[in-house]
Amino acid sequence: MALSRVCWARAALWGSAVAPGPFVTRRLQLGRSGPAWRAPRSSKLHLSPKADVKNLISYVVTKTRAINGSYHRFLGRHFPRFYALYTTFMKGIQMLWADGKKARRIKADMWKQNLKFHQLSYREMEHLRQFRRDITKCLFVGLISIPPFANYLVFLLMYLFPRQLLVKHFWTPKQQIDFLDVYHGLRRRSHSEVITHLRRASTFVSHEKLRRQLTDLCTKVQSGTHPAAQDVLALRDCFSTYPLGFSQLQASQMRALSQAMLLTPYLPPPLLRQRLKSHITVIHQLDRALAKLGIGQLTAQEVKSACYLRGLNSTHIADDRCRAWLGEWLHISCSLKEPELSLLLHNVVLLSTNYLETRR
């Protein structure tokens, strides 16, 4: 009994003397109750992975823009000529890419709505026409870049011959004016030849009145007089049959007309005839769409581009004169039917040869 009491007294004494502290108590409680007693996590740990990715992307984009801006300032300060070429090239790629996206959207709408090319609006038709020409030129440059190490040579050729190898998106503003002047000079070389072929063909016109009117028209153009729209329309019957219908044009005539339209004249006669007819048919469809829209709805740049396509060097002509000339063209074009489109083709020369041009 005495021994048991002593043991109980000693146990009580030790229990009161060695009381567990708060650290030990918390360790015991955590061990028993589990995660319910853990401290709350930081708020950063509760962000979703998508938010973390967005923040990372935003940071990378901001830093990339800052580095790109510093790089541009460095080039502009130390290499100004190279920087001008670099910015023109980058803007050209962006504009060409935007044109491609717009052309794709137009083609998708045509497929969904089952529309033909001539059923589109004027601006959509013009955009598709121009984009096809641009992408054809770009594809040619891409093909000659395929052989190994040929891309280095192509870059050099593009720098040396930008007019021949690049589209207008990659031209500087000064180059656009200069190159359009060069192209117009090339097509003006064929004007006298086209008029000469018309005078020769007038001798084969069976109707005496039409033969005399065609001869008078050629004389006016050769003497420097700008013909009136009614003088041109009076000859529509000459251009639907022999000797000036599409099927009766000679090879030399078609080569001269191809040069006047800035098309390749070095093709076999059947291909020349088909290409000329296709080209002038597209212009005729554009004219009908433009007549519905109205010349007044076009911007100054759109008017100049429309005039240049139809044979007039509009880069140095005032806007009101360009609109007046385009009105004359539309009056003639919308009065013609499909069998008479040979007259519209010759009208590229007849209506633009002697029109007032303000030279620099």
Side-chain angles (χ1 to χ4, degrees):
M1 289 291 293
L3 182 60
S4 63
R5 288 176 181 175
V6 172
C7 291
W8 280 107
R10 184 176 297 176
L13 179 62
W14 288 353
S16 61
V18 190
F23 179 76
V24 177
T25 304
R26 181 166 294 185
R27 288 292 299 271
L28 292 173
Q29 290 173 349
L30 291 174
R32 292 174 184 174
S33 59
W37 287 88
R38 291 179 182 174
R41 292 185 178 181
S42 174
S43 60
K44 294 183 179 180
L45 299 177
H46 290 281
L47 292 176
S48 64
K50 291 185 178 180
D52 293 340
V53 172
K54 289 181 179 179
N55 290 335
L56 179 61
I57 293 176
S58 177
Y59 175 79
V60 171
V61 169
T62 302
K63 285 297 183 181
T64 303
R65 289 178 178 175
I67 295 173
N68 192 38
S70 301
Y71 177 65
H72 278 220
R73 289 190 294 271
F74 172 79
L75 289 179
R77 187 167 55 251
H78 294 87
F79 307 99
R81 295 184 61 183
F82 175 78
Y83 179 69
L85 294 175
Y86 171 77
T87 53
T88 302
F89 184 77
M90 295 305 297
K91 289 179 181 178
I93 291 179
Q94 294 174 0
M95 289 189 293
L96 189 63
W97 180 258
D99 286 351
K101 291 173 65 177
K102 185 177 180 180
R104 183 179 180 182
R105 178 184 59 80
I106 295 173
K107 295 292 288 185
D109 292 341
M110 290 176 62
W111 183 78
K112 290 179 181 177
Q113 303 175 19
N114 195 22
L115 296 176
K116 302 296 182 181
F117 177 78
H118 66 274
Q119 296 175 318
L120 298 174
S121 66
Y122 170 76
R123 287 191 172 93
E124 290 176 335
M125 293 169 64
E126 175 61 21
H127 184 85
L128 283 182
R129 184 202 65 82
Q130 186 61 48
F131 181 73
R132 288 170 183 171
R133 292 178 64 89
D134 292 342
I135 203 65
T136 301
K137 205 170 187 179
C138 293
L139 287 176
F140 171 75
V141 176
L143 288 176
I144 64 177
S145 305
I146 291 178
F149 305 105
N151 52 341
Y152 300 104
L153 178 61
V154 170
F155 281 122
L156 177 62
L157 293 176
M158 288 191 297
Y159 177 77
L160 296 177
F161 307 101
R163 179 176 64 85
Q164 292 84 352
L165 296 178
L166 298 178
V167 296
K168 64 179 182 179
H169 300 81
F170 302 96
W171 297 346
T172 63
K174 184 178 182 303
Q175 285 178 334
Q176 291 185 12
I177 297 176
D178 294 341
F179 292 167
L180 289 179
D181 286 342
V182 171
Y183 280 126
H184 186 68
L186 293 175
R187 62 185 179 185
R188 277 186 67 91
R189 295 177 185 176
S190 63
H191 285 188
S192 59
E193 187 177 355
V194 172
I195 301 300
T196 301
H197 281 296
L198 280 178
R199 181 177 287 276
R200 291 175 182 173
S202 64
T203 58
F204 298 98
V205 177
S206 58
H207 198 282
E208 182 179 357
K209 182 180 178 181
L210 292 177
R211 182 169 64 249
R212 186 174 62 254
Q213 288 176 335
L214 181 57
T215 304
D216 293 343
L217 180 64
C218 294
T219 302
K220 286 181 179 180
V221 174
Q222 288 177 331
S223 62
T225 303
H226 178 69
Q230 58 268 19
D231 295 336
V232 177
L233 286 174
L235 299 170
R236 57 197 303 174
D237 292 338
C238 297
F239 292 85
S240 58
T241 56
Y242 182 83
L244 294 172
F246 257 115
S247 302
Q248 289 79 29
L249 292 177
Q250 300 178 358
S252 57
Q253 287 179 280
M254 291 188 292
R255 292 191 185 96
L257 290 169
S258 296
Q259 291 178 351
M261 299 296 292
L262 293 178
L263 299 175
T264 302
Y266 309 108
L267 291 174
L271 293 180
L272 286 176
R273 181 176 287 106
Q274 180 182 358
R275 196 174 187 190
L276 284 172
K277 190 172 183 179
S278 174
H279 194 74
I280 202 62
T281 300
V282 170
I283 293 179
H284 189 236
Q285 294 171 348
L286 284 170
D287 292 338
R288 292 185 178 275
L290 180 55
K292 292 180 181 178
L293 177 65
I295 300 177
Q297 301 297 321
L298 300 183
T299 63
Q301 183 58 43
E302 287 175 333
V303 170
K304 288 185 177 294
S305 299
C307 291
Y308 194 89
L309 173 65
R310 292 157 178 82
L312 183 68
N313 187 15
S314 55
T315 54
H316 309 294
I317 303 179
D319 180 68
D320 56 341
R321 292 186 177 273
C322 289
R323 292 180 186 271
W325 185 91
L326 189 57
E328 293 181 17
W329 174 280
L330 290 182
H331 174 62
I332 296 174
S333 178
C334 295
S335 302
L336 299 177
K337 300 178 181 178
E338 186 176 354
E340 302 166 341
L341 290 185
S342 177
L343 175 57
L344 191 63
L345 181 62
H346 287 81
N347 199 42
V348 172
V349 177
L350 295 174
L351 211 62
S352 64
T353 299
N354 299 318
Y355 197 74
L356 180 62
E357 295 183 9
T358 304
R359 299 292 181 182
R360 289 180 299 173

